mmCIF file of all heavy atoms in Angstrom:
data_model
loop_
_atom_site.group_PDB
_atom_site.id
_atom_site.type_symbol
_atom_site.label_atom_id
_atom_site.label_comp_id
_atom_site.label_asym_id
_atom_site.label_seq_id
_atom_site.Cartn_x
_atom_site.Cartn_y
_atom_site.Cartn_z
ATOM 1 N N ARG A 77 49.715 110.291 -72.141
ATOM 2 C CA ARG A 77 49.033 111.433 -71.499
ATOM 3 C C ARG A 77 48.576 112.439 -72.577
ATOM 4 O O ARG A 77 47.453 112.920 -72.571
ATOM 5 C CB ARG A 77 49.978 112.101 -70.500
ATOM 6 C CG ARG A 77 49.208 112.935 -69.484
ATOM 7 C CD ARG A 77 50.113 113.624 -68.490
ATOM 8 N NE ARG A 77 51.062 112.734 -67.844
ATOM 9 C CZ ARG A 77 52.332 113.068 -67.590
ATOM 10 N NH1 ARG A 77 52.797 114.254 -67.892
ATOM 11 N NH2 ARG A 77 53.139 112.224 -66.989
ATOM 12 N N TYR A 78 49.508 112.684 -73.524
ATOM 13 C CA TYR A 78 49.145 113.645 -74.581
ATOM 14 C C TYR A 78 48.081 113.096 -75.533
ATOM 15 O O TYR A 78 47.216 113.823 -76.006
ATOM 16 C CB TYR A 78 50.399 114.073 -75.364
ATOM 17 C CG TYR A 78 51.226 115.083 -74.596
ATOM 18 C CD1 TYR A 78 52.557 114.833 -74.274
ATOM 19 C CD2 TYR A 78 50.659 116.278 -74.167
ATOM 20 C CE1 TYR A 78 53.311 115.746 -73.556
ATOM 21 C CE2 TYR A 78 51.406 117.198 -73.450
ATOM 22 C CZ TYR A 78 52.721 116.935 -73.141
ATOM 23 O OH TYR A 78 53.445 117.841 -72.436
ATOM 24 N N VAL A 79 48.157 111.769 -75.738
ATOM 25 C CA VAL A 79 47.129 111.156 -76.612
ATOM 26 C C VAL A 79 45.755 111.341 -75.975
ATOM 27 O O VAL A 79 44.789 111.753 -76.629
ATOM 28 C CB VAL A 79 47.435 109.653 -76.845
ATOM 29 C CG1 VAL A 79 46.240 108.954 -77.515
ATOM 30 C CG2 VAL A 79 48.661 109.487 -77.727
ATOM 31 N N VAL A 80 45.685 111.044 -74.650
ATOM 32 C CA VAL A 80 44.403 111.185 -73.943
ATOM 33 C C VAL A 80 43.929 112.634 -73.987
ATOM 34 O O VAL A 80 42.764 112.935 -74.276
ATOM 35 C CB VAL A 80 44.535 110.691 -72.479
ATOM 36 C CG1 VAL A 80 43.282 111.039 -71.674
ATOM 37 C CG2 VAL A 80 44.779 109.191 -72.455
ATOM 38 N N LEU A 81 44.873 113.564 -73.742
ATOM 39 C CA LEU A 81 44.522 114.998 -73.753
ATOM 40 C C LEU A 81 44.026 115.419 -75.134
ATOM 41 O O LEU A 81 43.004 116.129 -75.270
ATOM 42 C CB LEU A 81 45.772 115.809 -73.367
ATOM 43 C CG LEU A 81 45.495 117.191 -72.793
ATOM 44 C CD1 LEU A 81 44.647 117.086 -71.529
ATOM 45 C CD2 LEU A 81 46.820 117.897 -72.476
ATOM 46 N N ALA A 82 44.739 114.960 -76.166
ATOM 47 C CA ALA A 82 44.344 115.311 -77.546
ATOM 48 C C ALA A 82 42.970 114.733 -77.836
ATOM 49 O O ALA A 82 42.108 115.404 -78.432
ATOM 50 C CB ALA A 82 45.372 114.770 -78.541
ATOM 51 N N ALA A 83 42.749 113.479 -77.362
ATOM 52 C CA ALA A 83 41.436 112.850 -77.612
ATOM 53 C C ALA A 83 40.336 113.639 -76.905
ATOM 54 O O ALA A 83 39.274 113.905 -77.480
ATOM 55 C CB ALA A 83 41.464 111.408 -77.116
ATOM 56 N N LEU A 84 40.596 114.034 -75.644
ATOM 57 C CA LEU A 84 39.586 114.803 -74.891
ATOM 58 C C LEU A 84 39.257 116.106 -75.594
ATOM 59 O O LEU A 84 38.101 116.493 -75.732
ATOM 60 C CB LEU A 84 40.087 115.078 -73.465
ATOM 61 C CG LEU A 84 40.048 113.876 -72.516
ATOM 62 C CD1 LEU A 84 40.596 114.274 -71.145
ATOM 63 C CD2 LEU A 84 38.625 113.341 -72.376
ATOM 64 N N CYS A 85 40.328 116.811 -76.041
ATOM 65 C CA CYS A 85 40.108 118.080 -76.755
ATOM 66 C C CYS A 85 39.292 117.828 -78.016
ATOM 67 O O CYS A 85 38.361 118.574 -78.333
ATOM 68 C CB CYS A 85 41.443 118.712 -77.148
ATOM 69 S SG CYS A 85 42.245 119.496 -75.779
ATOM 70 N N GLY A 86 39.654 116.776 -78.741
ATOM 71 C CA GLY A 86 38.957 116.465 -79.994
ATOM 72 C C GLY A 86 37.493 116.165 -79.737
ATOM 73 O O GLY A 86 36.605 116.700 -80.412
ATOM 74 N N ILE A 87 37.231 115.331 -78.699
ATOM 75 C CA ILE A 87 35.826 114.985 -78.394
ATOM 76 C C ILE A 87 35.061 116.242 -77.982
ATOM 77 O O ILE A 87 33.971 116.520 -78.474
ATOM 78 C CB ILE A 87 35.764 113.901 -77.279
ATOM 79 C CG1 ILE A 87 36.303 112.581 -77.848
ATOM 80 C CG2 ILE A 87 34.346 113.714 -76.773
ATOM 81 C CD1 ILE A 87 36.566 111.515 -76.794
ATOM 82 N N ALA A 88 35.691 117.034 -77.070
ATOM 83 C CA ALA A 88 35.026 118.259 -76.600
ATOM 84 C C ALA A 88 34.732 119.178 -77.783
ATOM 85 O O ALA A 88 33.659 119.786 -77.877
ATOM 86 C CB ALA A 88 35.901 118.968 -75.577
ATOM 87 N N TYR A 89 35.689 119.246 -78.717
ATOM 88 C CA TYR A 89 35.511 120.110 -79.887
ATOM 89 C C TYR A 89 34.272 119.677 -80.680
ATOM 90 O O TYR A 89 33.420 120.498 -81.026
ATOM 91 C CB TYR A 89 36.766 120.060 -80.764
ATOM 92 C CG TYR A 89 36.589 120.728 -82.105
ATOM 93 C CD1 TYR A 89 36.522 122.118 -82.202
ATOM 94 C CD2 TYR A 89 36.492 119.969 -83.272
ATOM 95 C CE1 TYR A 89 36.347 122.727 -83.437
ATOM 96 C CE2 TYR A 89 36.317 120.571 -84.506
ATOM 97 C CZ TYR A 89 36.248 121.954 -84.593
ATOM 98 O OH TYR A 89 36.068 122.559 -85.798
ATOM 99 N N PHE A 90 34.135 118.351 -80.927
ATOM 100 C CA PHE A 90 32.992 117.892 -81.719
ATOM 101 C C PHE A 90 31.675 118.024 -80.971
ATOM 102 O O PHE A 90 30.643 118.319 -81.573
ATOM 103 C CB PHE A 90 33.233 116.457 -82.227
ATOM 104 C CG PHE A 90 34.225 116.441 -83.358
ATOM 105 C CD1 PHE A 90 35.482 115.888 -83.207
ATOM 106 C CD2 PHE A 90 33.896 117.043 -84.578
ATOM 107 C CE1 PHE A 90 36.394 115.910 -84.249
ATOM 108 C CE2 PHE A 90 34.807 117.061 -85.628
ATOM 109 C CZ PHE A 90 36.064 116.506 -85.466
ATOM 110 N N VAL A 91 31.731 117.819 -79.629
ATOM 111 C CA VAL A 91 30.496 117.994 -78.831
ATOM 112 C C VAL A 91 30.034 119.448 -78.938
ATOM 113 O O VAL A 91 28.867 119.752 -79.232
ATOM 114 C CB VAL A 91 30.732 117.598 -77.354
ATOM 115 C CG1 VAL A 91 29.572 118.051 -76.475
ATOM 116 C CG2 VAL A 91 30.917 116.098 -77.236
ATOM 117 N N VAL A 92 30.987 120.382 -78.712
ATOM 118 C CA VAL A 92 30.631 121.814 -78.758
ATOM 119 C C VAL A 92 30.151 122.186 -80.159
ATOM 120 O O VAL A 92 29.181 122.918 -80.336
ATOM 121 C CB VAL A 92 31.841 122.678 -78.323
ATOM 122 C CG1 VAL A 92 31.598 124.141 -78.609
ATOM 123 C CG2 VAL A 92 32.109 122.480 -76.837
ATOM 124 N N LYS A 93 30.833 121.646 -81.170
ATOM 125 C CA LYS A 93 30.465 121.960 -82.561
ATOM 126 C C LYS A 93 29.022 121.506 -82.855
ATOM 127 O O LYS A 93 28.232 122.263 -83.433
ATOM 128 C CB LYS A 93 31.446 121.247 -83.491
ATOM 129 C CG LYS A 93 31.515 121.832 -84.890
ATOM 130 C CD LYS A 93 32.627 121.110 -85.643
ATOM 131 C CE LYS A 93 32.437 121.129 -87.123
ATOM 132 N NZ LYS A 93 32.645 122.391 -87.765
ATOM 133 N N SER A 94 28.686 120.290 -82.399
ATOM 134 C CA SER A 94 27.324 119.780 -82.649
ATOM 135 C C SER A 94 26.299 120.616 -81.893
ATOM 136 O O SER A 94 25.259 120.993 -82.438
ATOM 137 C CB SER A 94 27.190 118.334 -82.192
ATOM 138 O OG SER A 94 28.167 117.571 -82.793
ATOM 139 N N PHE A 95 26.604 120.905 -80.623
ATOM 140 C CA PHE A 95 25.679 121.699 -79.819
ATOM 141 C C PHE A 95 25.521 123.096 -80.432
ATOM 142 O O PHE A 95 24.418 123.650 -80.479
ATOM 143 C CB PHE A 95 26.189 121.776 -78.378
ATOM 144 C CG PHE A 95 25.179 122.354 -77.429
ATOM 145 C CD1 PHE A 95 23.901 121.812 -77.338
ATOM 146 C CD2 PHE A 95 25.495 123.448 -76.639
ATOM 147 C CE1 PHE A 95 22.956 122.349 -76.485
ATOM 148 C CE2 PHE A 95 24.558 123.992 -75.770
ATOM 149 C CZ PHE A 95 23.293 123.440 -75.696
ATOM 150 N N SER A 96 26.645 123.614 -80.921
ATOM 151 C CA SER A 96 26.628 124.941 -81.546
ATOM 152 C C SER A 96 25.707 124.929 -82.768
ATOM 153 O O SER A 96 24.927 125.865 -82.985
ATOM 154 C CB SER A 96 28.063 125.295 -81.943
ATOM 155 O OG SER A 96 28.093 126.479 -82.623
ATOM 156 N N ALA A 97 25.752 123.832 -83.550
ATOM 157 C CA ALA A 97 24.884 123.728 -84.736
ATOM 158 C C ALA A 97 23.417 123.695 -84.297
ATOM 159 O O ALA A 97 22.551 124.321 -84.917
ATOM 160 C CB ALA A 97 25.228 122.478 -85.523
ATOM 161 N N TYR A 98 23.163 122.976 -83.174
ATOM 162 C CA TYR A 98 21.783 122.908 -82.666
ATOM 163 C C TYR A 98 21.298 124.307 -82.249
ATOM 164 O O TYR A 98 20.204 124.736 -82.614
ATOM 165 C CB TYR A 98 21.717 121.940 -81.478
ATOM 166 C CG TYR A 98 20.450 122.049 -80.681
ATOM 167 C CD1 TYR A 98 19.258 121.538 -81.176
ATOM 168 C CD2 TYR A 98 20.440 122.705 -79.441
ATOM 169 C CE1 TYR A 98 18.075 121.666 -80.465
ATOM 170 C CE2 TYR A 98 19.264 122.844 -78.730
ATOM 171 C CZ TYR A 98 18.081 122.320 -79.245
ATOM 172 O OH TYR A 98 16.915 122.463 -78.541
ATOM 173 N N VAL A 99 22.158 125.014 -81.493
ATOM 174 C CA VAL A 99 21.784 126.352 -81.007
ATOM 175 C C VAL A 99 21.551 127.293 -82.195
ATOM 176 O O VAL A 99 20.582 128.065 -82.215
ATOM 177 C CB VAL A 99 22.882 126.904 -80.061
ATOM 178 C CG1 VAL A 99 22.650 128.371 -79.741
ATOM 179 C CG2 VAL A 99 22.900 126.090 -78.774
ATOM 180 N N THR A 100 22.423 127.197 -83.201
ATOM 181 C CA THR A 100 22.241 128.045 -84.387
ATOM 182 C C THR A 100 20.904 127.723 -85.048
ATOM 183 O O THR A 100 20.184 128.623 -85.485
ATOM 184 C CB THR A 100 23.396 127.789 -85.398
ATOM 185 O OG1 THR A 100 24.625 127.926 -84.701
ATOM 186 C CG2 THR A 100 23.354 128.749 -86.544
#
Side-chain angles (χ1 to χ4, degrees):
R77 200 181 308 140
Y78 283 122
V79 169
V80 171
L81 203 60
L84 285 179
C85 283
I87 291 168
Y89 170 73
F90 285 111
V91 168
V92 169
K93 200 174 155 72
S94 305
F95 191 54
S96 175
Y98 166 74
V99 170
T100 308

